[in-house]
Amino acid sequence: MPPSWIVVVSSEAAARQATQPGSDGGRIPPSISQSRPILCPQPFHRRLAEPSRMQMPRGNPLLLSYTLQELLARDTVQVELIPEKKGLFLKHVEYEVSSQRFKSSVYRRYNDFVVFHDMLLHRFPYRMVPALPPKRMLGADREFIEARRRALKRFINLVARHPLFSEDVILKLFLSFSGSDVQNKLKESAQFVGDEFMNCKLATRAKDFLPADIQTQFAVSRELIRNIYNGFYKLRDRAERIASRAIDNAADLLIFGKELSALGSDTTPLPSWATLNSSTWGALKQALKGLSVEFALLADKAAQQGKQEENDVVEKLNLFLDLLQSYKDLCERHERGVLHKHQRALHKYSLMKRQMMSAAVQNREPESVEQLESRIVEQENAIQTMELRNYFSLYCLHQETQLIHVYLPLTSHILGAFVNSQIQGHKEMSKVWNDLKPKLSCFFAGPHSSLTPPRSPPEDGVCPH
């Protein structure tokens, strides 16, 4: 049986439940699902001028027809740190947010992102709104601030590439408004505007576009995406370790070269009785000093590889994980929000029907009966609205599930970046190692030396005797 989060309680089902044992024996009037009208949502008049592709394909509007490249091409937003210092202490951090699409560059603080996030949830409660990174805690270091900058960059890029968010006025305000109070501007833009349900022409007909097995489909989809999330979470952790090892290797190579240089720079005099008039140590010191340059170059190559894998592999995995997490959050909002409110409204209606029957039996005053009837009518409207919102929430969930699958080819981008980084990194480091090898011959030079440079090990790994 499908999990409870996708069980849709229709008014017809509620009517049948009302006649089950233990109920008040009444039946929900047909007005809930048939004759009683509700206000028809009006289209949102503050959208951007360009047409929204969410009005898409002719036929069933539930179906989306995007490619990953189309979504990625919508915008690329950069988020860079601009720390502002007062005295010796870091008071707060500003970010320079630059949009390719709007050709804009604005300054934002973390709290601006918070207000923008809240407005998105207000406007689009049934869509995948990515979560924000946590607010800075006391004693936060630069590593935390950098991690939060990366997370804010992922957040705004996911939002800027979402088919609906990218066409809404609040995104344009956030990315291009250069005034001093962007928070109030964002709040004003949403002040007299309802959520997506109130502004979508298809909201009241969402049920007509849903597949008959919507409950089964979402049960399977939710489980699949949970498994995908868990798998990519493990991949991200391993990718982080690989990138971290490259950076640690860079640090070790640099220190190794410095230690060689320190040996070569040693000025401690050697007694003649120990050296026997040999110049071996002096020649070795001179050679050791020169090797530090190659090891510094090796360290630089290793660090570049680690940084590249952080940016092109780890960050892309984090981006995809943020998207998957926003889908999981959306499923929880559907279960805790619309479905829960719908069930509470049905329960309240059942209690009011019982009160109505009790009043009729006790022959109460006509006015009190009329007031109760009026309340029942209001509750009928509330139930009808909740039912329509429930179906619209499922409609949106269906589309958001499609978007998740549009993003799945990002896997090939991530693997391609990882493979290319490894190939390029090993190629560049191999060249430096090969350039370094001939310089080792000076270690074995000299008139009294019988040593020769070591040869490359045989392929079978066995040393000759």
Side-chain angles (χ1 to χ4, degrees), residues 282-340:
L284 282 175
K285 288 202 300 180
Q286 192 65 28
L288 289 173
K289 288 172 64 176
L291 292 181
S292 64
V293 176
E294 279 74 15
F295 277 93
L297 186 56
L298 285 168
D300 183 61
K301 298 296 183 185
Q304 286 180 20
Q305 181 179 347
K307 291 296 183 182
Q308 183 177 350
E309 288 172 359
E310 279 186 347
N311 294 327
D312 295 343
V313 180
V314 176
E315 273 305 291
K316 286 181 180 177
L317 284 168
N318 279 327
L319 179 84
F320 191 49
L321 285 172
D322 289 350
L323 180 71
L324 293 172
Q325 183 61 53
S326 69
Y327 181 87
K328 293 169 64 179
D329 294 343
L330 176 61
C331 291
E332 291 181 7
R333 283 204 305 275
H334 173 82
E335 185 176 20
R336 295 196 318 264
V338 180
L339 185 59
H340 182 63

Short mmCIF file of all heavy atoms in Angstrom, two decimals, residues 282-340:
data_model
loop_
_atom_site.label_atom_id
_atom_site.label_comp_id
_atom_site.label_asym_id
_atom_site.label_seq_id
_atom_site.Cartn_x
_atom_site.Cartn_y
_atom_site.Cartn_z
N GLY A 282 79.75 18.42 -0.59
CA GLY A 282 79.55 19.74 -1.19
C GLY A 282 78.78 19.68 -2.49
O GLY A 282 77.90 20.50 -2.75
N ALA A 283 79.10 18.68 -3.32
CA ALA A 283 78.37 18.52 -4.59
C ALA A 283 76.92 18.14 -4.34
O ALA A 283 76.00 18.62 -5.02
CB ALA A 283 79.07 17.46 -5.45
N LEU A 284 76.72 17.24 -3.35
CA LEU A 284 75.35 16.83 -3.02
C LEU A 284 74.53 18.01 -2.53
O LEU A 284 73.36 18.17 -2.90
CB LEU A 284 75.38 15.72 -1.96
CG LEU A 284 75.73 14.31 -2.43
CD1 LEU A 284 75.84 13.38 -1.25
CD2 LEU A 284 74.67 13.80 -3.41
N LYS A 285 75.12 18.82 -1.66
CA LYS A 285 74.39 19.98 -1.15
C LYS A 285 73.96 20.91 -2.28
O LYS A 285 72.84 21.43 -2.28
CB LYS A 285 75.25 20.74 -0.13
CG LYS A 285 75.41 20.03 1.19
CD LYS A 285 75.78 20.99 2.32
CE LYS A 285 77.07 21.72 2.05
NZ LYS A 285 77.40 22.64 3.16
N GLN A 286 74.84 21.13 -3.22
CA GLN A 286 74.52 22.00 -4.34
C GLN A 286 73.36 21.44 -5.15
O GLN A 286 72.46 22.16 -5.59
CB GLN A 286 75.76 22.19 -5.22
CG GLN A 286 75.64 23.29 -6.27
CD GLN A 286 75.51 24.67 -5.64
OE1 GLN A 286 76.00 24.90 -4.54
NE2 GLN A 286 74.83 25.58 -6.33
N ALA A 287 73.37 20.13 -5.35
CA ALA A 287 72.30 19.48 -6.11
C ALA A 287 70.98 19.52 -5.35
O ALA A 287 69.90 19.73 -5.93
CB ALA A 287 72.69 18.04 -6.44
N LEU A 288 71.03 19.29 -4.04
CA LEU A 288 69.82 19.28 -3.22
C LEU A 288 69.12 20.64 -3.25
O LEU A 288 67.88 20.72 -3.29
CB LEU A 288 70.16 18.89 -1.78
CG LEU A 288 70.56 17.43 -1.55
CD1 LEU A 288 71.03 17.24 -0.11
CD2 LEU A 288 69.39 16.49 -1.85
N LYS A 289 69.93 21.71 -3.20
CA LYS A 289 69.33 23.05 -3.23
C LYS A 289 68.53 23.27 -4.51
O LYS A 289 67.48 23.90 -4.51
CB LYS A 289 70.43 24.10 -3.11
CG LYS A 289 71.05 24.19 -1.72
CD LYS A 289 72.26 25.10 -1.69
CE LYS A 289 71.88 26.53 -2.01
NZ LYS A 289 73.04 27.44 -1.89
N GLY A 290 68.99 22.72 -5.62
CA GLY A 290 68.31 22.94 -6.89
C GLY A 290 67.01 22.16 -7.04
O GLY A 290 66.13 22.55 -7.81
N LEU A 291 66.88 21.05 -6.28
CA LEU A 291 65.68 20.20 -6.43
C LEU A 291 64.42 20.84 -5.86
O LEU A 291 63.31 20.44 -6.20
CB LEU A 291 65.92 18.85 -5.75
CG LEU A 291 66.96 17.93 -6.40
CD1 LEU A 291 67.06 16.64 -5.63
CD2 LEU A 291 66.60 17.67 -7.86
N SER A 292 64.58 21.79 -4.97
CA SER A 292 63.40 22.40 -4.33
C SER A 292 62.49 23.06 -5.36
O SER A 292 61.28 23.14 -5.18
CB SER A 292 63.83 23.41 -3.27
OG SER A 292 64.53 24.49 -3.88
N VAL A 293 63.05 23.53 -6.45
CA VAL A 293 62.25 24.19 -7.48
C VAL A 293 61.29 23.20 -8.11
O VAL A 293 60.09 23.47 -8.29
CB VAL A 293 63.16 24.82 -8.56
CG1 VAL A 293 62.31 25.41 -9.69
CG2 VAL A 293 64.05 25.87 -7.95
N GLU A 294 61.81 21.99 -8.46
CA GLU A 294 60.96 20.98 -9.07
C GLU A 294 59.87 20.49 -8.11
O GLU A 294 58.72 20.28 -8.50
CB GLU A 294 61.80 19.78 -9.54
CG GLU A 294 62.49 19.96 -10.87
CD GLU A 294 63.68 20.89 -10.77
OE1 GLU A 294 64.14 21.16 -9.64
OE2 GLU A 294 64.16 21.37 -11.83
N PHE A 295 60.23 20.33 -6.84
CA PHE A 295 59.24 19.86 -5.88
C PHE A 295 58.17 20.93 -5.62
O PHE A 295 57.00 20.61 -5.38
CB PHE A 295 59.90 19.42 -4.58
CG PHE A 295 60.41 18.01 -4.64
CD1 PHE A 295 61.73 17.75 -5.02
CD2 PHE A 295 59.58 16.95 -4.36
CE1 PHE A 295 62.21 16.45 -5.10
CE2 PHE A 295 60.05 15.65 -4.44
CZ PHE A 295 61.36 15.39 -4.81
N ALA A 296 58.56 22.20 -5.68
CA ALA A 296 57.57 23.28 -5.56
C ALA A 296 56.62 23.24 -6.75
O ALA A 296 55.40 23.46 -6.60
CB ALA A 296 58.26 24.63 -5.48
N LEU A 297 57.15 22.93 -7.94
CA LEU A 297 56.31 22.83 -9.12
C LEU A 297 55.37 21.63 -9.02
O LEU A 297 54.19 21.72 -9.38
CB LEU A 297 57.18 22.72 -10.37
CG LEU A 297 56.47 22.74 -11.74
CD1 LEU A 297 55.61 23.99 -11.88
CD2 LEU A 297 57.48 22.65 -12.87
N LEU A 298 55.89 20.51 -8.51
CA LEU A 298 55.03 19.33 -8.29
C LEU A 298 53.92 19.65 -7.30
O LEU A 298 52.76 19.24 -7.49
CB LEU A 298 55.89 18.18 -7.76
CG LEU A 298 56.79 17.47 -8.78
CD1 LEU A 298 57.79 16.56 -8.06
CD2 LEU A 298 55.95 16.64 -9.75
N ALA A 299 54.26 20.36 -6.24
CA ALA A 299 53.26 20.73 -5.24
C ALA A 299 52.18 21.61 -5.86
O ALA A 299 50.98 21.45 -5.58
CB ALA A 299 53.92 21.46 -4.08
N ASP A 300 52.60 22.53 -6.72
CA ASP A 300 51.65 23.42 -7.37
C ASP A 300 50.69 22.63 -8.28
O ASP A 300 49.48 22.90 -8.29
CB ASP A 300 52.40 24.47 -8.19
CG ASP A 300 51.47 25.47 -8.84
OD1 ASP A 300 50.74 26.16 -8.11
OD2 ASP A 300 51.46 25.54 -10.09
N LYS A 301 51.22 21.65 -9.02
CA LYS A 301 50.38 20.83 -9.89
C LYS A 301 49.38 20.01 -9.08
O LYS A 301 48.20 19.89 -9.44
CB LYS A 301 51.24 19.90 -10.74
CG LYS A 301 52.21 20.60 -11.68
CD LYS A 301 51.49 21.41 -12.75
CE LYS A 301 52.47 22.05 -13.72
NZ LYS A 301 51.80 22.93 -14.69
N ALA A 302 49.83 19.43 -7.98
CA ALA A 302 48.95 18.64 -7.12
C ALA A 302 47.85 19.51 -6.51
O ALA A 302 46.69 19.11 -6.43
CB ALA A 302 49.75 17.95 -6.02
N ALA A 303 48.22 20.72 -6.08
CA ALA A 303 47.23 21.63 -5.50
C ALA A 303 46.20 22.05 -6.54
O ALA A 303 44.99 22.14 -6.24
CB ALA A 303 47.93 22.86 -4.92
N GLN A 304 46.67 22.31 -7.75
CA GLN A 304 45.74 22.68 -8.82
C GLN A 304 44.74 21.56 -9.09
O GLN A 304 43.55 21.81 -9.29
CB GLN A 304 46.52 23.00 -10.10
CG GLN A 304 47.26 24.33 -10.08
CD GLN A 304 48.01 24.57 -11.37
OE1 GLN A 304 47.73 23.98 -12.40
NE2 GLN A 304 49.00 25.46 -11.32
N GLN A 305 45.23 20.33 -9.09
CA GLN A 305 44.34 19.20 -9.32
C GLN A 305 43.30 19.08 -8.20
O GLN A 305 42.12 18.86 -8.45
CB GLN A 305 45.14 17.90 -9.41
CG GLN A 305 44.28 16.67 -9.68
CD GLN A 305 45.09 15.40 -9.80
OE1 GLN A 305 46.31 15.44 -9.91
NE2 GLN A 305 44.41 14.26 -9.77
N GLY A 306 43.76 19.24 -6.95
CA GLY A 306 42.83 19.18 -5.83
C GLY A 306 41.77 20.26 -5.89
O GLY A 306 40.58 20.00 -5.67
N LYS A 307 42.18 21.50 -6.20
CA LYS A 307 41.23 22.61 -6.29
C LYS A 307 40.26 22.41 -7.44
O LYS A 307 39.06 22.69 -7.33
CB LYS A 307 41.98 23.93 -6.47
CG LYS A 307 42.78 24.38 -5.25
CD LYS A 307 41.86 24.67 -4.08
CE LYS A 307 42.64 25.18 -2.87
NZ LYS A 307 41.75 25.42 -1.70
N GLN A 308 40.77 21.89 -8.56
CA GLN A 308 39.90 21.66 -9.71
C GLN A 308 38.85 20.60 -9.38
O GLN A 308 37.68 20.74 -9.77
CB GLN A 308 40.74 21.21 -10.92
CG GLN A 308 39.91 21.01 -12.19
CD GLN A 308 40.77 20.64 -13.39
OE1 GLN A 308 42.00 20.71 -13.33
NE2 GLN A 308 40.13 20.26 -14.47
N GLU A 309 39.25 19.57 -8.66
CA GLU A 309 38.29 18.53 -8.29
C GLU A 309 37.29 19.03 -7.25
O GLU A 309 36.14 18.60 -7.24
CB GLU A 309 39.04 17.29 -7.80
CG GLU A 309 39.73 16.56 -8.94
CD GLU A 309 40.63 15.43 -8.47
OE1 GLU A 309 40.74 15.22 -7.23
OE2 GLU A 309 41.22 14.76 -9.34
N GLU A 310 37.71 19.94 -6.40
CA GLU A 310 36.76 20.57 -5.47
C GLU A 310 35.70 21.35 -6.22
O GLU A 310 34.51 21.27 -5.90
CB GLU A 310 37.50 21.49 -4.50
CG GLU A 310 38.17 20.80 -3.33
CD GLU A 310 38.75 21.78 -2.35
OE1 GLU A 310 38.86 22.99 -2.69
OE2 GLU A 310 39.11 21.36 -1.23
N ASN A 311 36.13 22.12 -7.23
CA ASN A 311 35.20 22.99 -7.95
C ASN A 311 34.34 22.24 -8.96
O ASN A 311 33.15 22.51 -9.09
CB ASN A 311 35.98 24.10 -8.66
CG ASN A 311 36.64 25.06 -7.69
OD1 ASN A 311 36.12 25.31 -6.61
ND2 ASN A 311 37.81 25.57 -8.04
N ASP A 312 34.97 21.31 -9.71
CA ASP A 312 34.26 20.69 -10.82
C ASP A 312 33.60 19.36 -10.47
O ASP A 312 32.71 18.91 -11.20
CB ASP A 312 35.24 20.44 -11.99
CG ASP A 312 35.77 21.73 -12.57
OD1 ASP A 312 35.16 22.79 -12.31
OD2 ASP A 312 36.79 21.70 -13.28
N VAL A 313 34.03 18.74 -9.39
CA VAL A 313 33.46 17.43 -9.02
C VAL A 313 32.66 17.55 -7.72
O VAL A 313 31.46 17.30 -7.69
CB VAL A 313 34.58 16.37 -8.88
CG1 VAL A 313 33.97 15.02 -8.50
CG2 VAL A 313 35.36 16.25 -10.19
N VAL A 314 33.33 17.96 -6.65
CA VAL A 314 32.66 18.01 -5.34
C VAL A 314 31.50 19.01 -5.36
O VAL A 314 30.40 18.72 -4.88
CB VAL A 314 33.67 18.37 -4.23
CG1 VAL A 314 32.95 18.52 -2.89
CG2 VAL A 314 34.75 17.31 -4.13
N GLU A 315 31.74 20.20 -5.94
CA GLU A 315 30.68 21.21 -5.93
C GLU A 315 29.49 20.81 -6.79
O GLU A 315 28.34 21.09 -6.46
CB GLU A 315 31.23 22.55 -6.42
CG GLU A 315 31.84 23.40 -5.33
CD GLU A 315 30.88 23.65 -4.17
OE1 GLU A 315 29.89 24.37 -4.35
OE2 GLU A 315 31.12 23.10 -3.08
N LYS A 316 29.73 20.13 -7.91
CA LYS A 316 28.62 19.65 -8.74
C LYS A 316 27.84 18.55 -8.02
O LYS A 316 26.61 18.48 -8.14
CB LYS A 316 29.14 19.17 -10.09
CG LYS A 316 29.54 20.30 -11.02
CD LYS A 316 30.03 19.77 -12.36
CE LYS A 316 30.43 20.93 -13.28
NZ LYS A 316 30.98 20.44 -14.57
N LEU A 317 28.55 17.70 -7.30
CA LEU A 317 27.86 16.69 -6.50
C LEU A 317 27.03 17.36 -5.40
O LEU A 317 25.89 16.96 -5.13
CB LEU A 317 28.88 15.73 -5.88
CG LEU A 317 29.48 14.69 -6.83
CD1 LEU A 317 30.68 14.01 -6.19
CD2 LEU A 317 28.44 13.66 -7.25
N ASN A 318 27.58 18.40 -4.76
CA ASN A 318 26.82 19.14 -3.75
C ASN A 318 25.60 19.82 -4.35
O ASN A 318 24.54 19.87 -3.72
CB ASN A 318 27.73 20.19 -3.08
CG ASN A 318 28.61 19.59 -2.01
OD1 ASN A 318 28.22 18.65 -1.32
ND2 ASN A 318 29.81 20.12 -1.85
N LEU A 319 25.74 20.36 -5.55
CA LEU A 319 24.61 21.00 -6.23
C LEU A 319 23.48 19.99 -6.44
O LEU A 319 22.31 20.28 -6.16
CB LEU A 319 25.07 21.57 -7.57
CG LEU A 319 23.98 22.24 -8.41
CD1 LEU A 319 23.78 23.69 -7.96
CD2 LEU A 319 24.32 22.21 -9.89
N PHE A 320 23.83 18.81 -6.94
CA PHE A 320 22.82 17.79 -7.18
C PHE A 320 22.20 17.31 -5.88
O PHE A 320 20.99 17.08 -5.79
CB PHE A 320 23.44 16.63 -7.96
CG PHE A 320 22.43 15.65 -8.49
CD1 PHE A 320 21.31 16.08 -9.18
CD2 PHE A 320 22.60 14.29 -8.30
CE1 PHE A 320 20.38 15.19 -9.67
CE2 PHE A 320 21.67 13.39 -8.79
CZ PHE A 320 20.56 13.84 -9.48
N LEU A 321 23.02 17.17 -4.82
CA LEU A 321 22.49 16.77 -3.52
C LEU A 321 21.54 17.83 -2.96
O LEU A 321 20.51 17.50 -2.35
CB LEU A 321 23.64 16.53 -2.54
CG LEU A 321 24.42 15.22 -2.73
CD1 LEU A 321 25.65 15.21 -1.83
CD2 LEU A 321 23.54 14.01 -2.44
N ASP A 322 21.87 19.12 -3.16
CA ASP A 322 20.97 20.19 -2.71
C ASP A 322 19.62 20.08 -3.41
O ASP A 322 18.56 20.29 -2.81
CB ASP A 322 21.60 21.56 -3.01
CG ASP A 322 22.77 21.87 -2.10
OD1 ASP A 322 22.98 21.13 -1.12
OD2 ASP A 322 23.48 22.86 -2.37
N LEU A 323 19.65 19.77 -4.71
CA LEU A 323 18.40 19.62 -5.47
C LEU A 323 17.60 18.44 -4.96
O LEU A 323 16.38 18.55 -4.73
CB LEU A 323 18.73 19.44 -6.96
CG LEU A 323 17.52 19.28 -7.89
CD1 LEU A 323 16.78 20.60 -8.02
CD2 LEU A 323 17.96 18.77 -9.26
N LEU A 324 18.26 17.30 -4.75
CA LEU A 324 17.57 16.11 -4.24
C LEU A 324 17.00 16.36 -2.84
O LEU A 324 15.89 15.93 -2.53
CB LEU A 324 18.53 14.92 -4.21
CG LEU A 324 19.01 14.41 -5.57
CD1 LEU A 324 20.09 13.36 -5.37
CD2 LEU A 324 17.87 13.84 -6.39
N GLN A 325 17.75 17.09 -2.01
CA GLN A 325 17.26 17.40 -0.67
C GLN A 325 16.03 18.30 -0.74
O GLN A 325 15.09 18.15 0.05
CB GLN A 325 18.36 18.08 0.15
CG GLN A 325 17.97 18.39 1.60
CD GLN A 325 17.63 17.15 2.38
OE1 GLN A 325 18.42 16.20 2.43
NE2 GLN A 325 16.47 17.14 3.03
N SER A 326 16.02 19.23 -1.68
CA SER A 326 14.84 20.11 -1.82
C SER A 326 13.61 19.31 -2.24
O SER A 326 12.48 19.66 -1.86
CB SER A 326 15.13 21.23 -2.83
OG SER A 326 15.24 20.73 -4.15
N TYR A 327 13.80 18.25 -3.01
CA TYR A 327 12.68 17.38 -3.37
C TYR A 327 12.17 16.64 -2.14
O TYR A 327 10.96 16.53 -1.91
CB TYR A 327 13.11 16.39 -4.45
CG TYR A 327 12.00 15.48 -4.91
CD1 TYR A 327 11.12 15.86 -5.93
CD2 TYR A 327 11.80 14.23 -4.32
CE1 TYR A 327 10.09 15.03 -6.34
CE2 TYR A 327 10.78 13.39 -4.72
CZ TYR A 327 9.93 13.79 -5.75
OH TYR A 327 8.91 12.96 -6.15
N LYS A 328 13.09 16.12 -1.33
CA LYS A 328 12.69 15.43 -0.11
C LYS A 328 11.94 16.38 0.83
O LYS A 328 10.93 16.01 1.44
CB LYS A 328 13.92 14.86 0.59
CG LYS A 328 14.61 13.73 -0.19
CD LYS A 328 15.97 13.38 0.39
CE LYS A 328 15.86 12.84 1.78
NZ LYS A 328 17.19 12.47 2.34
N ASP A 329 12.43 17.62 0.93
CA ASP A 329 11.75 18.62 1.76
C ASP A 329 10.35 18.91 1.23
O ASP A 329 9.40 19.10 2.01
CB ASP A 329 12.56 19.92 1.81
CG ASP A 329 13.89 19.74 2.52
OD1 ASP A 329 14.06 18.75 3.25
OD2 ASP A 329 14.78 20.60 2.32
N LEU A 330 10.21 18.96 -0.09
CA LEU A 330 8.91 19.24 -0.71
C LEU A 330 7.92 18.12 -0.37
O LEU A 330 6.76 18.40 -0.07
CB LEU A 330 9.07 19.37 -2.22
CG LEU A 330 7.79 19.56 -3.04
CD1 LEU A 330 7.06 20.83 -2.62
CD2 LEU A 330 8.11 19.59 -4.53
N CYS A 331 8.36 16.88 -0.44
CA CYS A 331 7.49 15.76 -0.09
C CYS A 331 7.02 15.87 1.36
O CYS A 331 5.85 15.60 1.66
CB CYS A 331 8.22 14.44 -0.31
SG CYS A 331 8.55 14.04 -2.04
N GLU A 332 7.92 16.28 2.24
CA GLU A 332 7.54 16.44 3.65
C GLU A 332 6.56 17.60 3.83
O GLU A 332 5.63 17.50 4.63
CB GLU A 332 8.79 16.67 4.50
CG GLU A 332 9.68 15.44 4.59
CD GLU A 332 10.90 15.67 5.46
OE1 GLU A 332 10.97 16.76 6.09
OE2 GLU A 332 11.77 14.79 5.51
N ARG A 333 6.76 18.69 3.09
CA ARG A 333 5.81 19.81 3.18
C ARG A 333 4.43 19.38 2.70
O ARG A 333 3.41 19.80 3.26
CB ARG A 333 6.29 21.00 2.34
CG ARG A 333 7.39 21.80 2.96
CD ARG A 333 7.45 23.23 2.43
NE ARG A 333 7.55 23.30 0.99
CZ ARG A 333 8.68 23.24 0.31
NH1 ARG A 333 9.82 23.05 0.95
NH2 ARG A 333 8.68 23.34 -1.00
N HIS A 334 4.39 18.58 1.66
CA HIS A 334 3.10 18.09 1.16
C HIS A 334 2.41 17.25 2.23
O HIS A 334 1.21 17.42 2.47
CB HIS A 334 3.30 17.25 -0.10
CG HIS A 334 2.05 16.57 -0.58
ND1 HIS A 334 1.11 17.21 -1.35
CD2 HIS A 334 1.59 15.31 -0.40
CE1 HIS A 334 0.12 16.38 -1.62
NE2 HIS A 334 0.38 15.22 -1.06
N GLU A 335 3.18 16.39 2.87
CA GLU A 335 2.58 15.51 3.87
C GLU A 335 2.16 16.26 5.12
O GLU A 335 1.06 16.06 5.64
CB GLU A 335 3.60 14.41 4.23
CG GLU A 335 3.04 13.36 5.18
CD GLU A 335 4.05 12.26 5.43
OE1 GLU A 335 5.25 12.50 5.19
OE2 GLU A 335 3.64 11.17 5.85
N ARG A 336 3.04 17.16 5.59
CA ARG A 336 2.74 17.91 6.82
C ARG A 336 1.77 19.04 6.59
O ARG A 336 1.03 19.43 7.51
CB ARG A 336 4.02 18.49 7.42
CG ARG A 336 5.04 17.49 7.90
CD ARG A 336 6.06 18.17 8.80
NE ARG A 336 6.45 19.47 8.26
CZ ARG A 336 7.53 19.68 7.52
NH1 ARG A 336 8.31 18.66 7.20
NH2 ARG A 336 7.82 20.88 7.07
N GLY A 337 1.77 19.60 5.38
CA GLY A 337 0.99 20.79 5.11
C GLY A 337 -0.37 20.53 4.52
O GLY A 337 -1.37 20.38 5.24
N VAL A 338 -0.43 20.44 3.20
CA VAL A 338 -1.73 20.36 2.50
C VAL A 338 -2.53 19.16 2.95
O VAL A 338 -3.71 19.27 3.30
CB VAL A 338 -1.50 20.31 0.98
CG1 VAL A 338 -2.82 20.24 0.24
CG2 VAL A 338 -0.72 21.53 0.52
N LEU A 339 -1.92 17.98 2.92
CA LEU A 339 -2.66 16.77 3.26
C LEU A 339 -3.15 16.81 4.70
O LEU A 339 -4.30 16.46 5.00
CB LEU A 339 -1.77 15.55 3.02
CG LEU A 339 -2.44 14.19 3.21
CD1 LEU A 339 -3.62 14.03 2.28
CD2 LEU A 339 -1.43 13.07 2.99
N HIS A 340 -2.30 17.27 5.61
CA HIS A 340 -2.68 17.34 7.01
C HIS A 340 -3.81 18.34 7.23
O HIS A 340 -4.77 18.07 7.96
CB HIS A 340 -1.45 17.74 7.84
CG HIS A 340 -1.72 17.81 9.32
ND1 HIS A 340 -2.09 16.72 10.07
CD2 HIS A 340 -1.67 18.87 10.19
CE1 HIS A 340 -2.27 17.09 11.32
NE2 HIS A 340 -2.01 18.38 11.42
#
